[in-house]
Amino acid sequence: MVALGLTLIYGVLNQINFAHADFVTVGAFTAFFTATRFATKVLGLPDTGAYLLSMFAALGAGALLGLAVNAAVFAPLRDRGDELRPLIATIGVSVLLENAQLALFGPIPYQFDSPFARETLRIGRIFFSAQSVLVVAVSAAAIAALYGFMRFTFLGKALRAVAQDRETAGLMGINPNLLIALTIVIASALAGMAGALLGPVLVLSPFAGASVIVKAFAIVIIGGFGNMQGTILAGILVGVIEAFTVQYLGSGLIDLVVFAMLLLMLVLRPTGLIAERKEENV
Amino acid sequence: MSARRIYFVVSILVLAALPWLIATPYWRGILVLCAMNVLLALSLNLVIGYTGQLNLGQSAFFGIGAYVSTILVKSYGWNFWLAAVAAVGAAGLLGLALAAFAVRLRGHYLAIASLGFAVITYQVLVNWENVTQGVRGIYGIMPPFSHPAALFYLVAGIAVLVYVLIDNLVRSPVGDSLRAIREDEVSAASLGINRALWKAFAFCVGAAIAGLAGCFYPGFVGTLVPDAFNIVESFTMMAMVIVGGMGTMIGPVLGAIVLTFLPELLRGFGELRLMIYGIALTLVVLFMPGGMVQAWMALRARLR
Amino acid sequence: MILRAKEISKSFGGVRAVHNVSIAVPENSIFALIGPNGAGKSTLLNLLSGIYQPDAGSLHLEETNLIGLPAHRRVRLGMARTFQKIRLFRQLTLLENVLAGFHIHQDAPFWEYLVYGDTGRFREEARSLLAFVGLEARSGERAGALPYGQQRMLEIARALATRPRLFMLDEPAAGLNAAEVDFLLKRLEQIGRQGVTVLVVEHNMDLVMNVAHRVFVMDHGEPLFEGTPREVQHDPAVIAAYLGGEFAS
């Protein structure tokens, strides 16, 4: 889901948001504090209700951050037609967000208890935590919703039109800036929600994002920049390969294997799994 | 004497006097660190600033230089200087290997590929415990000179030498070709410039210089852990280049100096150190894309 | 014949951009390549200059086989080009743009660059090239700051710095005003008189009819006609293609 947000932004804007993963941690922290401090203490909601509420809070936090980054970074830099500048600026935002969180929350990881993490489900002889089932289910739903949105609604079509050719789309009465802002907000909201979902699974610390982002990049590249089907496929593929790596090589080597795969992919098929060939435009 | 020469001589004199003006051991250490950062910023600037290749893996070459030199000295009993030559060679060769296919990539792809390379290098340093000691780290590393002023003279001297050589190179026809590639690869090729060759050249030289800087790091700190070469290090190097002014010679030097000393002066604020990097990076890109050099030029133009 | 292409073809994703085109450019001539929009002229030029490699066919510069040779190697054989969509080094000065064009003639040993830096070689020649295209006075300005017409002329000066024997221009008159076209025309003739073969892709018929010795007409990726400018003007197939093309687009 994080990778999907990245690829969405890339597909429409041709820009990479390095701070994207930090939206995930911000989302996770928002969810954490909403669930543990606000919902249960102030509103007196039961655990499950608090967690669900926290997910929406995280969604909102992600959307707000996306809005802010778009207004502060992407929008002013968009017209200069430079690929490096926005990328570097988002690295700056990323470093800023990480360390701001560090200053606020400290380096000690938080234990984010979700009511679902405590329960386990059994299918045959295999046990799952309810949380991981929830992660998969919500991700699948979000992916399906996003896919449907891009494919079938007017806005989705307009977005893809902007991705294809910004100027022409502008001439057709589509406001590209508004749509780009919308894309970033959607992608960032997804990231925030991903944070709420992953918070209880990962260790919640300000730097959790960094470990997520590099993997998300790997998935995006393996799937092909801006290509949604490819990204989903690559996400599944990387998940499977990670599982096998843990099984046979040990968990320390996960990043190594994923990135070796990434480099291999860049050598063999730089356009991704589902290739869209683009000739050098002269 | 030309103005250039005068600047040069004055800078050398200031450098020579610095360790005696700033005499506390702590600040002398910061001076060495600063000279090392200058070296790193120069190396990255050659790749990003002059050739336009967004390399986010420079921390890996820095780390390779540090680990190769240290391991050769500590485990195999090599002489430091010999080990340094080997370390620079190793960093350069790995840079060349990465460049061999990175030259076909552009912009974002190169950024991510080099980032991936940095992550892999970091993971190797963590996991190859037989050789690198993993996260436990290597301890008790001695610098080539024990006197802090001597170490400063050495690293600063190398930084000056590297500065002069790169400065000559970028003013030479080679520099014209590199900048041409940065501006437009297709038309560079239409002038007979072998873009793959020259991009790989810049990448390889940049990696070797970062490896050279890496040789002095462990002796200076005394210990060596993989975390010193995390990808965040690549970002701080980049911040130095950008804040100073990429694609200029003096910019990255100024950037390295400011971003080494500024956080030290604000040390009381703890986590703020990296936040400063983040804020500086974002603000400079947004409002002053040419960095401090551009700001200085604008100021001078206004005062006239 | 300085350049000889035999039955070269190139498709992009099933679309035949250039199909079975044979072309022979005589030495010391000004050779024009014309055709309606989308006729495949630019693609053909990209094939000749090495930006694309053809799917089929043969390509020779005199006796040298060009197939498989990348663009930068062809420059060393004496081929230079300009681009339809101007591609200058926008952040560099005019002088630096032209100096970069001398790349293949820089033959000093590498250590000299490390020790001496700027050798100042070719500087005078670069200035005289800038003077040739009327830009000497602006040599210190950034290329991106030039008005459009002058950018085209700068691109020509930069390509000439490679000292080509075959000079290929992709729509050099596009976007120029009448005075600028006139200036360009004079310069092209002058380049031709200096023993450089000129291959020009062009839309501007006035320019083609005034300057070209031979004209090659393409349509739909295929050759349509070849002859002198006068013959071309009176060929019914060419007229039909142009009228059809003009109304269709």
Side-chain angles (χ1 to χ4, degrees), chain A residues 10 14 16 72 80 83 85 87-89 91-93 95-96 99 102 221 225 252 255-256 259 266-267 270 280, chain B residues 54 104 106-109 112-113 116 120 123 127 186 195 235 238 242 271 274-275 278-279 281-282 285-286 289:
Chain A
Y10 188 85
N14 236 350
I16 288 181
R80 303 203 199 154
E83 353 191 84
R85 290 238 153 80
L87 178 58
I88 294 168
I91 291 179
V93 173
V95 174
L96 174 64
N99 291 283
L102 188 65
I221 290 225
F225 263 124
D255 284 359
L256 207 67
F259 274 92
L266 282 169
V267 180
E280 213 153 12
Chain B
L54 188 52
R104 289 196 295 151
R106 232 178 294 176
H108 297 141
Y109 287 96
I112 304 300
I120 290 181
Q123 292 293 336
N127 285 301
V186 173
R195 48 181 162 163
F235 297 164
M238 195 165 66
I242 307 270
E271 289 82 19
L274 279 167
M275 260 174 88
I279 293 171
L281 197 56
T282 314
V285 171
L286 282 174

Side-chain angles (χ1 to χ4, degrees), chain B residues 168 177 180 183-184 187 192 194, chain C residues 72 87 91 103 114-115 117 158:
Chain B
N168 283 338
S177 306
E183 295 290 315
D184 188 330
S187 57
N194 184 344
Chain C
H72 66 90
R87 305 188 74 126
Q91 298 293 319
H103 176 85
L114 283 178
V115 176
R158 186 182 71 179

Side-chain angles (χ1 to χ4, degrees), chain A residues 240-259:
Chain A
V240 170
I241 289 178
E242 280 187 349
F244 272 102
T245 312
V246 173
Q247 195 76 30
Y248 296 106
L249 297 169
S251 58
L253 295 174
I254 285 188
D255 284 359
L256 207 67
V257 171
V258 170
F259 274 92

Side-chain angles (χ1 to χ4, degrees), chain A residues 98-256:
Chain A
E98 258 168 41
N99 291 283
Q101 292 180 74
L102 188 65
L104 282 174
F105 307 129
I108 304 147
Y110 286 74
Q111 181 68 43
F112 187 175
D113 256 342
S114 117
F116 299 101
R118 274 173 257 143
E119 284 167 39
T120 48
L121 301 176
R122 221 188 89 186
I123 300 168
R125 300 215 320 264
I126 311 161
F127 290 88
F128 296 96
S129 82
Q131 181 73 27
S132 58
V133 175
L134 187 72
V135 171
V136 172
V138 175
S139 307
I143 289 167
L146 188 61
Y147 193 77
F149 169 75
M150 291 297 276
R151 195 105 226 152
F152 303 115
T153 66
F154 172 74
L155 267 179
K157 283 177 190 160
L159 269 182
R160 287 190 291 147
V162 172
Q164 292 264 326
D165 188 337
R166 199 173 295 165
E167 278 164 32
T168 315
L171 290 176
M172 312 268 290
I174 300 170
N175 179 348
N177 289 336
L178 199 68
L179 280 174
I180 288 167
L182 183 70
T183 314
I184 295 176
V185 169
I186 292 177
S188 311
L190 276 182
M193 196 163 76
L197 286 169
L198 291 173
V201 179
L202 298 171
V203 189
L204 183 52
S205 83
F207 294 112
S211 64
V212 178
I213 189 85
V214 281
K215 202 161 291 165
F217 277 134
I219 293 173
V220 167
I221 290 225
I222 292 168
F225 263 124
N227 182 328
M228 282 183 61
Q229 288 116 305
T231 307
I232 296 170
L233 201 69
I236 298 170
L237 189 69
V238 167
V240 170
I241 289 178
E242 280 187 349
F244 272 102
T245 312
V246 173
Q247 195 76 30
Y248 296 106
L249 297 169
S251 58
L253 295 174
I254 285 188
D255 284 359
L256 207 67

